[in-house]
């Protein structure tokens, strides 16, 4: 439908993207470094941006690799660590493309329950005590995709303890860190890590815009050096133009204003979404997140989202089935992204969704 209201994509709506700021950053980037932007560059990324990221995270530049989006960063790390039949811990539910990437590499996936405090570390501890020996645990700690929950401080510490005891890498996949609009920020596991157990990933997709496709990894220098060799053989270098624009956008201070805009907009939208769900779908269960892009909705067992999703599409509403984010289950849940809908669309979108739910 021409007037489709989409709760499907985790991307900012155009009205909260600083287009003028990006245009100005692009001009500054080409004016200040035309040679650097038009050349191949290096596999570790645009060097000034690499240093800016290193300073942001308090590490040496040798611990940073800048990539074409965070999915490219994920792929490089998965290729390094995950072999066929490698045991890998994932959250249940988790990002659907994480599951796809790990399954494509024939990893042996072990889902661990996520509740309101993030991954259940004691459930994981029981699996480890029972003999599980993963090479990797993939964790989205802040405003998790799709569940919207945040890993609590005690669970972060406990997960690090388990990684040390059982010798596995924590992949801290953290693209939503700066999009907090409620509650107090927590230290990252990389900041708490004393034994090089954590490889950290983030991107500028949620704070600047998705179209630039700039993500990065922060990890032990030896790990980053190994991935850099693979990156050289993959694409020689990522996009120097995109990374140069991000660098200028960041160093001018425009990124701070952009983050403030996104936070304010998403805070308003998630509250409107929660109000609309309470009005039109009072039987739905959900936890309002403290940040990020997503809200996870669970319905009674009588609601089959495999039927709801096409019925919603017929009414001009796009949603994503909960089953897309799990190896098993999710038949009575939906992920609703509130980032791409404007405030005036939200109540109408939920009203249409309620029609689809109640039609079946």
């Amino acid at each position: 439908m021409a007037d489709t209201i989409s709760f499907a994509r985790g991307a900012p709506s155009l009205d909260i993207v600083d287009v003028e700021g990006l245009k100005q950053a692009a001009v500054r980037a080409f004016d200040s470094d035309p040679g650097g932007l038009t050349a191949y560059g290096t596999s570790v990324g645009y060097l000034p941006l690499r240093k800016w990221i290193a300073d942001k995270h308090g590490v040496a530049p040798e611990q940073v690799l800048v990539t074409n989006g965070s999915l490219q960063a994920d792929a490089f790390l998965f290729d390094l660590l995950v072999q066929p039949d490698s045991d890998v811990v994932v959250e249940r539910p988790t990002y659907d493309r994480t599951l796809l990437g790990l399954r494509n590499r024939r990893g042996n996936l072990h889902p661990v329950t996520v509740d309101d405090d993030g991954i259940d570390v004691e459930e994981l501890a029981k699996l480890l005590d029972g003999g599980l020996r993963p090479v990797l645990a993939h964790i989205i700690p802040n405003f998790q995709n799709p569940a919207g929950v945040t890993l609590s401080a005690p669970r972060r510490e406990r997960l690090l303890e388990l990684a040390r005891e059982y010798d596995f890498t924590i992949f801290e996949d953290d693209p939503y860190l700066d999009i907090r609009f409620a509650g107090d920020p927590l230290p990252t596991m990389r900041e708490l890590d004393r034994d090089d157990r954590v490889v950290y990933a983030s991107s500028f997709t949620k704070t600047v815009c998705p179209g630039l496709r700039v993500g990065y990894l922060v990890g032990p220098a030896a790990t980053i050096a190994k991935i850099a060799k693979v990156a050289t053989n993959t694409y020689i270098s990522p996009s120097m133009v995109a990374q140069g624009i991000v660098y200028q956008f960041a160093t001018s201070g425009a990124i701070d204003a952009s983050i403030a805009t996104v936070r304010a907009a998403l805070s308003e939208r998630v509250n409107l979404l929660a109000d609309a769900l309470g009005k039109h779908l009072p039987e739905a269960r959900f936890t309002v997140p403290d940040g990020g892009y997503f809200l996870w909705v669970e319905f009674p067992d009588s609601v089959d989202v495999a039927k709801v999703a096409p019925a919603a599409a017929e009414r001009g509403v796009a949603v994503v089935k909960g089953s897309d984010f799990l190896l098993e289950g999710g038949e009575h849940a939906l992920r609703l992204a509130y980032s791409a809908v404007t405030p005036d669309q939200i109540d109408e979108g939920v009203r249409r969704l309620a029609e689809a739910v109640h039609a079946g």
Side-chain angles (χ1 to χ4, degrees), residues 58-240:
V59 301
E62 292 74 24
Q63 292 179 256
V64 176
L65 182 132
V66 194
T67 61
N68 288 330
S70 61
L71 276 177
Q72 182 81 67
D74 294 7
F76 283 148
L77 186 64
F78 292 163
D79 284 341
L80 180 67
L81 297 181
V82 180
Q83 305 299 318
D85 298 323
S86 293
D87 289 318
V88 180
V89 171
V90 295
E91 297 168 307
R92 183 175 64 222
T94 192
Y95 182 38
D96 53 348
R97 293 190 183 273
T98 295
L99 295 177
L100 178 64
L102 291 168
R103 294 177 87 174
N104 284 345
R105 290 160 179 82
R106 295 170 54 198
N108 187 17
L109 305 189
H110 298 269
V112 176
T113 304
V114 165
D115 61 25
D116 285 350
D117 288 321
I119 190 169
D120 186 338
V121 290
E122 295 313 315
E123 180 180 321
L124 174 58
K126 290 178 182 177
L127 291 174
L128 296 167
D129 187 56
L132 175 65
R133 293 296 178 267
V135 298
L136 183 73
H138 178 272
I139 307 295
I140 306 173
N142 293 300
F143 328 121
Q144 197 250 19
N145 181 4
V149 300
T150 294
L151 185 63
S152 68
R155 290 191 180 184
R156 294 178 190 224
E157 294 279 10
R158 178 62 170 144
L159 188 56
L160 284 164
E161 291 175 3
L162 292 173
R164 288 193 292 269
E165 182 177 354
Y166 292 97
D167 190 25
F168 61 86
T169 295
I170 298 171
F171 182 24
E172 188 172 14
D173 195 355
D174 201 18
Y176 311 104
L177 172 69
D178 291 323
I179 313 301
R180 174 181 285 278
F181 39 75
D184 297 321
L186 298 173
T188 67
M189 286 179 284
R190 196 213 61 76
E191 291 168 340
L192 299 170
D193 182 22
R194 299 185 299 275
D195 303 289
D196 282 345
R197 292 290 173 189
V198 177
V199 177
Y200 182 93
S202 192
S203 80
F204 296 93
T205 294
K206 310 304 181 186
T207 54
V208 181
C209 75
L212 285 167
R213 308 310 303 134
V214 178
Y216 60 89
L217 287 172
V218 178
T223 299
I224 296 299
K226 290 177 183 177
I227 294 175
K229 291 180 180 179
V230 175
T232 299
N233 295 333
T234 300
Y235 50 33
I236 302 178
S237 77
S239 169
M240 295 295 101

Side-chain angles (χ1 to χ4, degrees), residues 275-286 298-300 350 354 358:
D275 289 345
L277 287 168
K279 179 170 67 173
H280 299 295
L281 285 165
E283 68 272 32
R285 302 184 304 277
F286 58 91
E298 295 182 333
F299 295 100
V350 175
H358 298 144

Side-chain angles (χ1 to χ4, degrees), residues 242-321:
Q243 293 188 15
I245 292 171
V246 169
Y247 173 70
Q248 291 293 334
F249 194 80
T251 56
S252 71
I255 193 169
D256 298 321
S258 176
I259 290 170
T261 297
V262 173
R263 282 176 177 164
L266 298 192
S267 177
E268 177 188 17
R269 292 174 192 190
V270 76
N271 288 327
L272 289 172
L273 178 58
D275 289 345
L277 287 168
K279 179 170 67 173
H280 299 295
L281 285 165
E283 68 272 32
R285 302 184 304 277
F286 58 91
T287 298
V288 179
D290 289 336
Y293 277 51
F294 307 108
L295 186 147
W296 182 256
V297 182
E298 295 182 333
F299 295 100
D301 290 350
S302 58
V303 177
D304 182 356
V305 296
K307 297 179 181 178
V308 169
E314 291 174 359
R315 291 164 172 81
V317 177
V319 294
V320 184
K321 304 188 301 296

